[in-house]
Amino acid sequence: MDAPNQEFALAGSLEELKAKGRLVVHGCHRPILVIYDRGRIFALDNRCPHMGFPLERGSVEDGILTCHWHHARFDLESGCTFDLWADDVPICPVEVRNGDVWVKTTFGHADPAAHWHQRLADGLAHDLGLVIAKAVHGQLAADAPRADIVRQVALFGAQNRDGWGVGLTIHTALANLLPMLPKEEAYLALFHGARRVATDCDGEAPRRERAPLGSRPDPAALKRWLRRWTIVRHREATERTLLTAIAAGASPAVLADGLLAAETERAFADTGHSLDFINKAFECLDLIGWEHAVAVLPTVVGQMVAARGAEETTAWRQPVDLIALCDEAGSQLPELFAAGRDHGWSDHAALARELLGDDPIAIIDALKAAIRAGAAAVDLSRSLAYAAALRVARFGNANEHSDWETAHHVFTYANAVDQLLKRIGTAAGDVTAVRGVLHGAMALYLARYLNVPPARIPGEGGERLDDLPADPDAIRAALLDAFDRQRQVDLAARLVARHLTLGYSPQALIATLARALLREDAGFHAYQMLEAGVRQFTAWDDTDEGRHILIAVARYLAAHSPTERAALQTADIAQRLMRGGELHEAGAS
Ligand code: FES
């Protein structure tokens, strides 16, 4: 059988096509449907772009092809869909030569990266999960840099919603993890981030830009103004002040100091989310480039000025006025740090244990003593984050399920404070921002009953856990298996402990935890927990403390698994459609 060239395949004779109305061409290419309709011939991918069902079983009427599985309609000539959720069906050239019908078997785009960039824009604009998944896969297959995809999604989210949201937080958290993820998990991470940003923006009014002031006040004045406008909840004034600082060329460290000082005018605002969003906006700019600061950073201001502080809640006022304790200690911070000896303080774990105490005055005193002994702000926040991870690692199974979120909030808040204080470093003119540590310590104190009785941390004191597998692959497989079943919190913790105490790769374990998360229809907090846990683990590395942190992550994830995994199904279908394989047998019902 001769072909006009190797890219074409014989579909059949024109006479046969006219008689049957449609033919399907199979081969080592994707199945191609050839349709004869009112004197014209069309060739399309036979797999419905929605879920891959065979289009040969669809109907053609008035130039419209209908797939009967979910009733998506397609323009026969262009393949374009009338139902955006289904996506367009690829078409291919067809030729009639000497009474035979030949179809080109390759589907491609002149510039695949540009094509899939545009399709991602379409998917984001219309909140189309399947289109987003295909576009992410297409860009990765076209070797588009992951950072370009992260940037496209982040800027879409910043511009198409009036304020930073859950979607951008998830997107940034997952983008932070990308360097640690294998190829398959990287695809899922980018897909989840993009789909959550699209959902956040769906139906929302786009963001209105504001302009910086015409003057360039000194950094100290701008910091004072940020605090002043935040206190009185004046959003426009806060945004213009922030934009002015950016326009004046303030460094990321100085901007972080100004925003953290303003944010901590309220204690643990919006159960820590407001501060976490600020940190994530900074991390987002690290990923996509600080030239986008004007587009991204002001998005956090709306929530920051509107957030409800803990000072407005009874638990923080009675029976002990924790706000008064924080205010008093906060006023002493400049003096304490000025007097602190720089002796290379390193008692992070010991301070963490004191922070887990049940006397708020003793907790504040422990922080003050650490400063006097030479602890820097980042030492305090590191201890706080570790202590908060221990709250999760020891979370009692008798608590209500919703209590997990209380423990989670303190941990992600502490991690955000830690990341921001690291960023600020020595750039701050004062230590106002360290109030975040005081507030976090009080939030941790209020969550103390979540460890009554405490869950046992496995792997302590040389515990070998020999009833569990010894092979690293088998341990990780057992861990994924545990996440397949409900209430496997303690087993997940034991498997993590087993993996680490036997000295196996923490990176492989983290990739497995990421896999466990990315296959679920995970809630917002689960993404935060994994990313914050990995961040804090890297500070401790493969130590007892590092093990405790990853146990905390595994326990939280196990408590929230499994889910329906609908998003994974979408990602899987998109991937299989993009790879060209048949998803359904034509004869299957
Ligand atoms: S509409 Fe064709 S598979 Fe859903």
Side-chain angles (χ1 to χ4, degrees):
M1 182 184 304
D2 294 328
N5 65 51
Q6 290 184 337
E7 287 187 326
F8 278 75
L10 177 65
S13 69
L14 179 57
E15 193 177 344
E16 182 189 11
L17 178 61
K18 281 182 179 177
K20 294 181 176 175
R22 60 192 68 183
L23 297 170
V24 180
V25 186
H26 295 282
C28 53
H29 49 76
R30 59 181 79 178
I32 297 171
L33 172 63
V34 186
I35 291 179
Y36 182 84
D37 182 50
R38 295 176 298 183
R40 298 180 67 191
I41 302 172
F42 307 96
L44 316 90
D45 189 334
N46 190 40
R47 304 161 314 149
C48 177
H50 178 224
M51 289 188 67
F53 285 105
L55 287 172
E56 68 186 278
R57 300 178 72 179
S59 301
V60 175
E61 187 265 329
D62 193 22
I64 296 171
L65 170 63
T66 300
C67 173
H68 292 302
W69 269 266
H70 309 93
H71 313 294
R73 281 69 51 95
F74 307 94
D75 167 28
L76 196 50
E77 181 168 359
S78 66
C80 293
T81 186
F82 294 94
D83 302 285
L84 293 182
W85 46 265
D87 201 7
D88 298 339
V89 57
I91 59 171
C92 55
V94 58
E95 295 178 4
V96 178
R97 301 200 172 191
N98 301 321
D100 287 331
V101 180
W102 294 83
V103 290
K104 192 174 181 182
T105 58
T106 52
F107 296 77
H109 307 281
D111 185 345
H115 171 80
W116 292 115
H117 180 94
Q118 180 55 49
R119 290 305 284 151
L120 181 55
D122 297 339
L124 290 166
H126 299 285
D127 190 19
L128 304 169
L130 183 67
V131 175
I132 289 170
K134 288 182 190 174
V136 168
H137 190 280
Q139 288 204 50
L140 291 172
D143 288 330
R146 293 174 178 178
D148 289 358
I149 303 172
V150 172
R151 185 178 304 105
Q152 182 183 3
V153 174
L155 291 178
F156 175 87
Q159 291 157 359
N160 288 282
R161 188 175 189 278
D162 190 26
W164 187 274
V166 165
L168 279 171
T169 299
I170 293 171
H171 177 58
T172 303
L174 292 176
N176 280 336
L177 294 174
L178 282 177
M180 304 181 190
L181 300 183
K183 193 174 170 187
E184 177 71 16
E185 279 68 38
Y187 159 62
L188 289 175
L190 288 165
F191 164 59
H192 279 295
R195 78 180 178 88
R196 296 299 293 263
V197 167
T199 301
D200 256 12
C201 295
D202 189 33
E204 293 285 320
R207 180 175 161 69
R208 293 193 197 97
E209 292 193 0
R210 295 172 176 84
L213 304 170
S215 62
R216 293 291 177 266
D218 67 70
L222 290 168
K223 183 174 178 179
R224 284 196 310 276
W225 292 357
L226 282 174
R227 294 176 61 185
R228 174 197 298 253
W229 301 134
T230 300
I231 290 168
V232 298
R233 305 189 188 280
H234 194 334
R235 175 178 174 176
E236 287 79 9
T238 312
E239 278 202 33
R240 293 200 77 177
T241 303
L242 177 58
L243 286 164
T244 304
I246 296 170
S251 69
V254 168
L255 292 169
D257 180 50
L259 281 177
L260 188 52
E263 168 67 23
T264 52
E265 290 296 337
R266 299 189 177 89
F268 201 57
D270 282 355
T271 56
H273 286 120
S274 178
L275 190 147
D276 186 54
F277 284 7
I278 291 171
N279 178 55
K280 278 288 166 286
F282 278 87
E283 292 176 352
C284 180
L285 286 166
D286 292 340
L287 293 164
I288 70 171
W290 273 87
E291 65 271 26
H292 300 293
V294 167
V296 171
L297 218 44
T299 64
V300 303
V301 167
Q303 175 160 9
M304 185 177 82
V305 300
R308 185 180 184 217
E311 62 275 10
E312 299 178 53
T313 63
T314 304
W316 283 65
R317 293 294 192 180
Q318 292 176 331
V320 181
D321 191 339
L322 303 177
I323 297 299
L325 274 179
C326 289
D327 287 347
E328 184 187 6
S331 68
Q332 297 167 0
L333 286 175
E335 191 181 329
L336 287 165
F337 277 107
R341 304 183 303 275
D342 186 10
H343 286 167
W345 186 92
S346 61
D347 294 334
H348 301 92
L351 176 59
R353 285 191 287 275
E354 293 188 86
L355 295 179
L356 289 165
D358 56 8
D359 178 352
I361 296 173
I363 290 169
I364 294 289
D365 285 345
L367 286 168
K368 290 186 198 171
I371 300 171
R372 284 192 207 95
V378 291
D379 293 318
L380 306 181
S381 56
R382 178 177 169 184
S383 292
L384 176 66
Y386 172 53
L390 283 175
R391 274 275 186 266
V392 183
R394 294 174 179 164
F395 182 90
N397 291 335
N399 292 309
E400 275 198 41
H401 191 268
S402 60
D403 288 334
W404 278 105
E405 310 320 318
T406 302
H408 154 84
H409 283 141
V410 182
F411 177 55
T412 50
Y413 176 89
N415 173 63
V417 170
D418 188 40
Q419 303 308 327
L420 283 168
L421 288 176
K422 275 189 207 156
R423 182 182 299 276
I424 294 166
T426 57
D430 59 53
V431 290
T432 311
V434 183
R435 294 183 298 188
V437 174
L438 303 174
H439 299 156
M442 293 300 98
L444 181 70
Y445 158 75
L446 285 172
R448 64 196 181 282
Y449 278 99
L450 301 181
N451 291 155
V452 178
R456 213 178 126 269
I457 296 182
E460 298 291 85
E463 184 188 15
R464 291 180 50 83
L465 305 162
D466 283 336
D467 57 313
L468 298 174
D471 174 76
D473 291 338
I475 296 172
R476 295 195 294 273
L479 185 56
L480 286 173
D481 180 63
F483 287 124
D484 274 333
R485 290 167 284 135
Q486 291 188 324
R487 288 187 278 279
Q488 298 301 307
V489 171
D490 292 334
L491 176 58
R494 296 180 80 241
L495 286 162
V496 166
R498 175 75 163 164
H499 195 280
L500 292 173
T501 53
L502 288 178
Y504 298 137
S505 159
Q507 285 67 36
L509 181 61
I510 288 169
T512 301
L513 291 171
R515 174 72 192 168
L517 171 70
L518 291 167
R519 67 184 182 174
E520 304 293 346
D521 297 330
F524 166 46
H525 290 162
Y527 297 103
Q528 289 180 303
M529 175 59 74
L530 175 66
E531 193 256 354
V534 171
R535 284 263 181 184
Q536 290 304 316
F537 174 82
T538 56
W540 292 94
D541 207 358
D542 200 1
T543 60
D544 283 349
E545 291 79 10
R547 172 166 49 86
H548 299 158
I549 292 166
L550 289 189
I551 284 173
V553 172
R555 294 189 81 235
Y556 182 91
L557 295 183
H560 295 78
S561 299
T563 62
E564 293 179 350
R565 301 179 181 171
L568 180 67
Q569 188 182 17
T570 300
D572 182 52
I573 289 169
Q575 189 159 247
R576 291 160 71 194
L577 283 166
M578 294 289 288
R579 285 176 176 163
E582 298 213 38
L583 279 79
H584 302 274
E585 294 300 324
S589 57

